[in-house]
Amino acid sequence: MAKQNSSRGRQAKTSSPNSDSKKKSTTVRKSFNKGKTFTKGKANPYRKDIRKDSPKQRLEEPTEIRLNKYISNSGICSRREADTYIKAGSATVNGKVITEMGYKVKPTDDVRFDDVSINPEPKRYVLLNKPKNYITTMDDERGRHTVMELVGKATKERIYPVGRLDRNTTGLLLFTNDGEMAKKLTHPKHNIKKLYHASLDKKLALTDLQKISENFVLEGKMVFVDAISYIENESKTEIGIEIHSGRNRIVRKIFEHFGYKVTKLDRVIFAGMTKKNLPRGHWKHLTQQEVNNLKMI
C-alpha cells in the first residue's frame, strides 16, 4: 500500500501542470523584478516579450496625445483649465480652431495657443557648419544627402532647419523646435543679418560693386544689400556681402544679374553667430547666452 500511495503521490505531482506553471511563473517574476539573470544554458521564453513591450521602447514611439495634455505639458495651465480654453476657441491645430474635447494632436502638428506656437518638448537650438553637397530638407526622394543626417544625433527632440542653404552653399545653419524663434529669424521685417563670403569667377569691378550696394530691381522685386566690400588682403574675386533678405539663392542671383558667377559661397555670420571653433560638418548646442541674444533681436 505504501508503494501505491507513493506512486499516486508521484503521479499527482507530475500531473499538476497548473501548479508547476505557477511555480515557474513566480520564479520568472521574482528573477525579473530583482534584476537577476537566468541560469546559463537555460532558454528564457519570456525575454523576447519583455524586450518587445519594454516601457522605454514604447515611450520612444511617436504617439498622439490629447490637446488639453499638450497645452498643459507646454506649461501654460492645468488640463482642466486647458479644457476651458479649448471650449473658448483659444487653441488652433494646423491653422484650424479646435473646440472638440478629447481632440488628439500629432508631434508634427502646428499647435498654437492664442496664436502663439507652443511645444511640450524642451526647446533645442543646434548650430551646424554645413558642408557642400548636403541639401536643406528633412528627407530626399532621390537619395541625396540631407542636413538632417549631420544633426540626427544632436538631440532626441525633432528639430527643423531655420531657412535654407542650397546644396553647394556652406556655412551656418540653425536648427530648432522653437517655432516662434524660427519665424522671427526668417521674417524679413526683423532684419536678421547674414554675412556671406562669395568667391567669383572673375574680379568684381568697382563700378559693379557700387551698383550692388545701391537698391536695384531683380526679378521684379527691389533688392536691398546691407553692405558689400572686397575682402581685405584677398583677390578682388573674394567678396563679403551682407543681406537680410530670405529670397531663394538671392546672393548668387545678385552677382549673376551683373554678369558674375559665384564659384563658392559660405555663410560666415548668421544672426550674430559665427563659425568660431565650429569646423565644417560639425554642430554645437547654443549656449544660454547665445539663445538669450537671439531672443533679444
Side-chain angles (χ1 to χ4, degrees):
M1 286 295 285
K3 286 183 179 180
Q4 288 178 357
N5 289 339
S6 176
S7 176
R8 280 199 298 271
R10 286 197 298 273
Q11 287 176 3
K13 286 180 182 179
T14 56
S15 61
S16 303
N18 291 338
S19 174
D20 208 25
S21 175
K22 285 178 182 176
K23 270 187 176 181
K24 286 181 180 179
S25 177
T26 304
T27 304
V28 170
R29 284 199 299 272
K30 283 181 179 179
S31 297
F32 180 71
N33 292 337
K34 290 180 180 180
K36 294 180 179 178
T37 57
F38 290 90
T39 306
K40 187 175 180 181
K42 292 186 178 181
N44 174 14
Y46 302 91
R47 185 178 297 278
K48 186 176 181 181
D49 291 337
I50 289 169
R51 286 180 177 177
K52 182 178 179 181
D53 297 329
S54 66
K56 183 177 179 181
Q57 192 172 29
R58 287 200 301 271
L59 286 172
E60 289 174 351
E61 295 172 355
T63 56
E64 296 181 346
I65 65 171
R66 289 177 178 267
L67 180 56
N68 63 350
K69 184 179 179 181
Y70 192 102
I71 294 172
S72 175
N73 289 353
S74 299
I76 294 173
C77 58
S78 67
R79 287 198 205 181
R80 184 173 295 180
E81 291 170 329
D83 284 334
T84 303
Y85 287 121
I86 291 170
K87 288 179 182 177
S90 298
T92 64
V93 179
N94 299 326
K96 180 183 177 182
V97 176
I98 302 297
T99 57
E100 173 190 340
M101 292 297 102
Y103 185 90
K104 292 186 177 181
V105 298
K106 301 174 184 177
T108 54
D109 286 337
D110 176 26
V111 182
R112 292 178 177 267
F113 185 84
D114 285 342
D115 203 32
V116 175
S117 179
I118 60 174
N119 193 320
E121 296 180 329
K123 299 295 187 293
R124 303 298 183 196
Y125 308 86
V126 175
L127 188 64
L128 170 72
N129 186 352
K130 176 188 170 298
K132 283 183 67 175
N133 297 321
Y134 283 81
I135 58 175
T136 309
T137 184
M138 300 301 290
D139 51 54
D140 182 60
E141 296 177 353
R142 295 163 57 184
R144 294 174 296 179
H145 291 298
T146 75
V147 291
M148 301 311 298
E149 297 173 30
L150 300 171
V151 298
K153 295 182 180 180
T155 176
K156 64 179 182 179
E157 287 78 21
R158 191 172 174 84
I159 53 177
Y160 302 87
V162 177
R164 301 176 68 88
L165 287 178
D166 64 49
R167 184 178 181 180
N168 291 321
T169 299
T170 60
L172 296 178
L173 185 62
L174 180 68
F175 297 77
T176 185
N177 58 351
D178 187 340
E180 286 300 302
M181 177 69 76
K183 183 178 178 181
K184 179 180 180 181
L185 294 176
T186 53
H187 201 288
K189 75 176 183 179
H190 294 291
N191 293 324
I192 303 301
K193 298 296 174 64
K194 292 160 277 190
L195 178 62
Y196 293 84
H197 175 179
S199 298
L200 308 181
D201 61 338
K202 57 185 177 181
K203 293 181 180 179
L204 179 65
L206 180 59
T207 53
D208 289 331
L209 184 144
Q210 291 172 338
K211 289 176 183 177
I212 294 173
S213 67
E214 301 169 356
N215 301 340
F216 62 94
V217 176
L218 177 62
E219 298 179 338
K221 294 181 180 179
M222 189 66 72
V223 173
F224 301 93
V225 174
D226 301 308
I228 183 170
S229 66
Y230 299 113
I231 293 180
E232 190 174 354
N233 299 324
E234 295 283 350
S235 163
K236 290 188 177 180
T237 59
E238 307 301 313
I239 310 298
I241 180 169
E242 184 180 294
I243 60 171
H244 62 267
S245 171
R247 289 166 62 180
N248 188 34
R249 297 173 60 87
I250 185 62
V251 175
R252 295 182 186 276
K253 289 178 179 179
I254 286 173
F255 288 108
E256 286 170 5
H257 182 71
F258 290 92
Y260 300 86
K261 181 180 179 181
V262 176
T263 57
K264 291 182 182 178
L265 188 61
D266 187 38
R267 184 152 72 186
V268 295
I269 295 178
F270 175 68
M273 299 177 291
T274 71
K275 300 193 300 177
K276 185 179 180 181
N277 299 325
L278 188 60
R280 190 69 49 80
H282 290 245
W283 54 265
K284 70 168 188 175
H285 290 283
L286 295 191
T287 64
Q288 188 56 53
Q289 184 59 56
E290 288 172 322
V291 174
N292 292 341
N293 291 342
L294 290 180
K295 291 180 177 180
M296 291 174 62
I297 293 177

